[in-house]
Amino acid sequence: MEMDVGFMAMLEDLRIAFGKPLPVTSGYRCPEHNAAISVTGLNGPHASGAAVDVLVSGQDAYDLIALAKAAGMTGVGIKQHGSHHTRFIHLDALPRATNQPRPTIWSYPK
């Protein structure tokens, strides 16, 4: 599988609105790798090709979250603890589930 074309267009529009590079630290993951490193298992957002983690912190993270929500991102995960080079914002554009609740915004534990 590859990255979802519609999601990539959405991400490019977000990058333009943000006005800065969006260094992606994680994009598509095969289901097996995703299950090995994430609680989302074989079918997590990254395995869909419609999710990325962006290396960003501080005011830029705050600004990116606001722009991502306005751009229609349906999932925003925040990891802003630890060293600055390990801080990121997860962005995804998965369809809203009707049969199972899914958080729209969340933070990652330490």
Side-chain angles (χ1 to χ4, degrees):
M1 174 176 256
E2 299 177 1
M3 292 299 290
D4 179 89
V5 174
F7 175 74
M8 292 306 292
M10 187 183 224
L11 192 62
E12 175 63 7
D13 290 344
L14 178 59
R15 185 196 62 78
I16 291 167
F18 188 54
K20 299 177 182 182
L22 296 176
V24 173
T25 60
S26 183
Y28 173 75
R29 299 178 191 152
C30 73
E32 293 77 17
H33 179 65
N34 195 72
I37 66 168
S38 173
V39 298
T40 60
L42 293 171
N43 299 313
H46 286 272
S48 74
V52 294
D53 296 340
V54 177
L55 181 66
V56 63
S57 62
Q59 184 65 47
D60 284 345
Y62 184 79
D63 294 343
L64 183 61
I65 292 166
L67 290 168
K69 288 171 38 184
M73 293 291 178
T74 58
V76 177
I78 303 167
K79 188 214 178 251
Q80 293 294 294
H81 54 271
S83 301
H84 283 272
H85 71 277
T86 65
R87 296 178 185 190
F88 66 88
I89 300 295
H90 166 96
L91 302 171
D92 71 56
L94 297 181
R96 297 208 184 271
T98 56
N99 60 347
Q100 174 179 329
R102 177 177 180 267
T104 302
I105 190 165
W106 65 90
S107 62
Y108 292 93
K110 290 187 176 189

